[in-house]
């Protein structure tokens, strides 16, 4: 039997939806939702801070140090989504020795919600990556690799919906072309599909059929290749529709602030990337307003600003 | 009043009304990860056994060096040692390998001291995760390579190639400009780094084998034979006899 309390909550929700919140305090519209998106990319097996050897990055990074920041943010915020844009593996002896096991365990302990695959995640071979996923409690999301004839079959998701409060977030992943970058012996029968085509399909599906409020593309394509026709986050964003945010990697780009690019409908796409090695933790706080419509409005640009 | 809400609800039901949550504001921040806010002890302890094991492995002795090798000006013992190791390592991974080259910037110690060689020392010598490729090089490209400053100024060390009284020998046999030679070389140089751009379009094999692993395998091979590694010769490009 439905309790009165539940009934009031549901009615409140619907009233809020109809934009007709009554003046009585009991039936006030719910507060706006807020999501804190945290992200890393190209951590490259940097479990410990960079060594104190006089180099530029000495003392920076480290999973125990990153966790400290994440914990603090989780304490202060109800809805946090933690993502990684690939190249988890390769770069310190940890990977040479343990093939990715401690990296996967650390990311699981940190509560990562998802990661996509970078080219270096194939470095121990695709079978190794699939095997190391036994140590991961988060999904690997990759939409433009088809793994049918490989050990990754059944071990990845083409996209995933995350529900944070009343917000539906759709996340899909794009990997870089492997041929010429990764030896075939390592990626084996992995089939690469055009990121642009797959992104269009994914974003449309997530918006129209999965009714997502926010669509995030986790990309390991690289930030920007200028006049080179090779697909990048910037060129993808400009030719896209329905992607709200691209969390990028591969080019180890230290963006001082996210790049905002207009998509083909003139609506803005936010692109961010935080270098490499776990030196920085990226953060975007997103506020949502209730809109009562049959279809997603899709015309309102977010105000993008530095967090005060 | 309740009745009126229910009317609205059914209207919404027919119209397919839905509440979307429109993102309106994105406030970004980039936080440096450092020791200022301390470290999480659970994560620290999760990594600890791996850390201890890596440290221990880094201290593992894998072989012996008979004399101290140095990175001096011109053709030098340390560079030739590395080139020899690459030729050896490549021959375990590729069907045919005739010669190997190594650029001065790719090995990072000034000297490798005589005595025990640890894994950690090899990581110091070769910190980069460069792969060892095998590139099929036409003889005339070898000729132009030899006349380049990389060779004349001994910026590159070489193994498997000797110049004896002005004649070039590869694998001990006379060099032919119309033959194809198989060159063990880093992915960095093969992709055109260090002005090695004459190689960018040549066919190559990639076994996913790191240069550093070639060094480790070379040192271990000698240890298995019970030998300390001897000083390599340094007159490969200018042999008098």
């Amino acid at each position: 039997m439905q309790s009165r309390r539940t009934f009031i909550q549901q009615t409140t929700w619907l009233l809020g939806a109809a934009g007709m919140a009554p003046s009585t305090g009991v039936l006030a519209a719910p507060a706006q939702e807020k999501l804190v998106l945290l992200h890393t990319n190209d951590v490259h097996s940097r479990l410990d801070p960079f060594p104190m050897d006089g180099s530029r990055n000495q003392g920076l990074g480290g999973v125990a140090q990153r966790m400290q920041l994440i914990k603090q943010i989780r304490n202060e915020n109800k809805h946090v989504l933690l993502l990684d844009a690939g190249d988890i593996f390769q770069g310190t002896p940890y990977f040479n020795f343990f093939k990715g096991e401690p990296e996967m365990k650390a990311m699981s302990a940190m509560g990562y919600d998802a990661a996509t695959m970078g080219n270096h995640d194939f470095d121990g071979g695709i079978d190794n990556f699939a095997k190391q996923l036994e140590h991961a409690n988060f999904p690997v999301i990759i939409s433009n690799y088809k793994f049918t004839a490989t050990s990754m079959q059944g071990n990845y998701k083409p996209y995933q919906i995350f529900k944070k409060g009343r917000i539906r977030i759709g996340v899909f992943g794009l990997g870089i072309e492997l041929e010429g970058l990764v030896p075939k012996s390592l990626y084996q029968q992995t089939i690469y599909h055009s990121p642009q085509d797959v992104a269009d399909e994914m974003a449309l599906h997530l918006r129209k059929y999965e009714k997502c409020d926010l669509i995030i593309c986790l990309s390991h394509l690289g930030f920007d290749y200028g006049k080179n026709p090779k697909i990048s986050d910037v060129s993808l964003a400009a030719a896209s529709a329905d992607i709200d945010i691209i969390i990028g990697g591969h080019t180890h780009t230290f963006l001082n602030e996210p790049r905002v690019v207009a998509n083909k409908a003139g609506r803005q796409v936010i692109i961010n990337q935080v270098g490499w090695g776990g030196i920085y933790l990226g953060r975007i706080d997103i506020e949502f307003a209730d809109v009562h419509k049959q279809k997603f409005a899709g015309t309102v640009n977010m105000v993008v600003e530095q967090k005060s | 009043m309740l009745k009126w809400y229910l009317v609205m609800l059914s209207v919404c039901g027919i119209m397919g009304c839905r509440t979307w949550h429109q993102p309106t504001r994105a406030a970004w921040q980039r936080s440096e990860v450092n020791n200022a806010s301390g470290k999480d002890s659970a994560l620290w302890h999760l990594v600890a056994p791996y850390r201890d094991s890596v440290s221990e492995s880094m201290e593992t002795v894998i072989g012996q060096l008979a004399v101290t090798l140095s990175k001096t000006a011109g053709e030098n013992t340390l560079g030739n040692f590395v080139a020899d190791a690459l030729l050896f390592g490549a021959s375990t991974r590729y069907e045919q390998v005739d010669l190997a080259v190594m650029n001065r910037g790719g090995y990072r110690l000034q000297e490798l001291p005589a005595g025990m060689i640890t894994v950690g020392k090899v990581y110091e010598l070769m910190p980069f995760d460069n792969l060892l490729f095998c590139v099929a090089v036409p003889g005339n490209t070898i000729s132009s390579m030899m006349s380049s400053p990389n060779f004349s100024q001994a910026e590159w060390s070489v193994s498997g190639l000797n110049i004896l009284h002005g004649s070039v020998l590869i694998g001990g046999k006379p060099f032919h400009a119309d033959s194809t030679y198989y060159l063990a070389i880093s992915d960095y140089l093969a992709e055109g780094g260090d002005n090695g751009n004459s190689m960018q379009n040549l066919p190559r094999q990639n076994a996913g084998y790191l240069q550093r692993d070639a060094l480790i395998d070379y040192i271990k091979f000698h240890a298995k034979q019970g030998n300390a590694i001897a000083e390599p010769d340094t007159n490969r490009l200018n042999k008098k006899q």
Side-chain angles (χ1 to χ4, degrees), chain A residues 32-33 35 167 213-214 286-290, chain B residues 21-24:
Chain A
Q32 284 195 345
E33 294 282 20
L35 172 74
I167 308 298
D213 300 302
L214 185 75
I286 302 141
E287 289 174 15
F288 296 83
D290 291 352
Chain B
H21 308 283
Q22 168 81 53
T24 54

Side-chain angles (χ1 to χ4, degrees), chain A residues 196 199-200 235-243 246 263-265 269:
Chain A
Q196 193 79 57
D200 289 347
S235 68
L236 171 79
S240 71
D242 281 319
I243 298 173
I246 299 174
N263 74 8
K264 65 182 180 187
V269 182

Side-chain angles (χ1 to χ4, degrees), chain A:
Chain A
M1 197 187 111
Q2 192 179 48
S3 72
R4 180 179 152 74
R5 189 182 168 82
T6 312
F7 175 75
I8 290 173
Q9 280 175 345
Q10 286 176 348
T11 313
T12 306
W13 188 84
L14 287 157
L15 284 172
M20 288 190 296
S23 54
T24 60
V26 180
L27 295 178
Q32 284 195 345
E33 294 282 20
K34 181 184 152 190
L35 172 74
V36 176
L37 169 60
L38 300 179
H39 60 95
T40 51
N41 58 277
D42 300 276
V43 177
H44 283 298
S45 303
R46 284 277 157 194
L47 296 170
D48 293 330
F50 282 79
M52 301 302 289
D53 57 2
S55 63
R56 184 170 32 164
N57 298 322
Q58 65 173 357
L60 301 182
V63 292
Q65 289 78 1
R66 195 192 318 161
M67 184 60 181
Q68 202 71 1
L69 293 181
I70 293 166
K71 269 197 309 195
Q72 197 184 332
I73 293 165
R74 285 202 180 112
N75 285 340
E76 293 164 358
N77 297 276
K78 195 172 169 197
H79 302 310
V80 177
L81 192 67
L82 175 58
L83 304 174
D84 184 89
D87 275 7
I88 297 165
F89 289 177
Q90 187 72 275
T92 70
Y94 282 116
F95 180 69
N96 302 75
F97 284 53
F98 303 110
K99 307 295 175 202
E101 178 181 315
E103 291 87 329
M104 290 296 185
K105 284 185 175 172
M107 286 176 75
S108 299
M110 282 186 275
Y112 269 80
D113 290 285
T116 195
M117 274 187 92
N119 48 301
H120 282 291
D121 296 318
F122 289 91
D123 280 4
I126 190 168
D127 294 347
N128 176 64
F129 189 78
K131 183 173 151 59
Q132 298 307 335
L133 286 179
E134 290 168 15
H135 303 292
N137 63 8
F138 55 90
V140 167
I141 301 177
I142 178 90
S143 319
N144 67 323
Y145 292 160
K146 292 290 170 281
F147 289 120
T148 315
T150 75
S151 50
M152 277 299 285
Q153 181 63 15
N155 284 320
Y156 74 104
K157 302 234 162 109
Y159 68 87
Q160 174 121 339
I161 312 293
F162 296 92
K163 290 173 195 155
K164 298 281 180 181
R166 294 177 292 128
I167 308 298
R168 283 174 70 81
I169 304 140
V171 178
F172 70 98
L174 296 176
I176 194 165
E177 180 152 29
L178 297 169
E179 194 184 335
L181 185 64
V182 176
K184 176 120 172 59
S185 58
L186 300 180
Y187 68 80
Q188 296 180 8
Q189 304 304 314
T190 305
I191 297 165
Y192 165 87
H193 290 287
S194 152
Q196 193 79 57
D197 294 349
V198 171
D200 289 347
E201 277 170 39
M202 278 291 146
L204 181 69
H205 178 80
L206 291 171
R207 190 72 89 202
K208 197 169 173 186
Y209 299 102
E210 296 284 2
K211 311 280 187 209
C212 291
D213 300 302
L214 185 75
I215 297 175
I216 300 172
C217 170
L218 269 181
S219 155
H220 201 78
L221 298 175
F223 179 64
D224 186 12
Y225 299 111
K227 284 178 182 156
N228 187 325
K230 184 174 170 172
I231 187 165
S232 67
D233 294 339
V234 168
S235 68
L236 171 79
S240 71
D242 281 319
I243 298 173
D244 296 299
I245 297 176
I246 299 174
I247 297 299
H250 187 61
T251 42
H252 296 194
T253 309
F254 287 97
L255 289 177
N256 289 320
E257 57 185 84
R259 174 77 65 87
V260 179
V261 171
N263 74 8
K264 65 182 180 187
R267 192 165 165 265
Q268 64 190 22
V269 182
I270 298 170
I271 306 170
N272 207 16
Q273 187 178 151
V274 288
W276 71 285
I279 293 167
Y280 290 102
L281 178 66
R283 173 175 182 175
I284 305 175
D285 292 8
I286 302 141
E287 289 174 15
F288 296 83
D290 291 352
V291 176
H292 175 63
K293 282 201 171 151
Q294 257 182 291
K295 285 185 178 173
F296 187 77
T299 52
V300 183
N301 279 335
M302 281 185 256
V303 175
V304 183
E305 60 188 4
Q306 186 163 12
K307 184 176 154 54
S308 51

Side-chain angles (χ1 to χ4, degrees), chain B residues 133-173:
Chain B
F133 279 12
C134 181
V135 180
V137 187
N140 54 24
T141 304
I142 300 267
S143 304
S144 55
M145 203 169 83
M146 283 188 296
S147 59
S148 76
N150 286 330
F151 265 57
S152 57
Q153 293 165 21
E155 281 301 302
W156 287 9
S157 297
V158 64
S159 179
L161 180 149
N162 292 99
I163 302 175
L164 181 63
H165 300 307
S167 308
V168 178
L169 300 174
I170 290 182
K173 293 176 199 148

Side-chain angles (χ1 to χ4, degrees), chain B residues 92-104:
Chain B
T92 68
R93 300 300 169 111
Y94 300 107
E95 209 165 300
Q96 189 185 341
V97 189
D98 301 304
L99 70 163
V101 295
M102 180 67 200
N103 59 316
R104 185 176 286 268

Side-chain angles (χ1 to χ4, degrees), chain B residues 78 81-82 106-109 121-127 215:
Chain B
L78 188 53
F81 158 76
V82 173
Y107 55 103
R108 310 296 285 187
L109 288 178
K121 210 67 184 168
V122 180
Y123 271 81
E124 284 178 49
L125 179 64
M126 308 280 285
L215 252 88

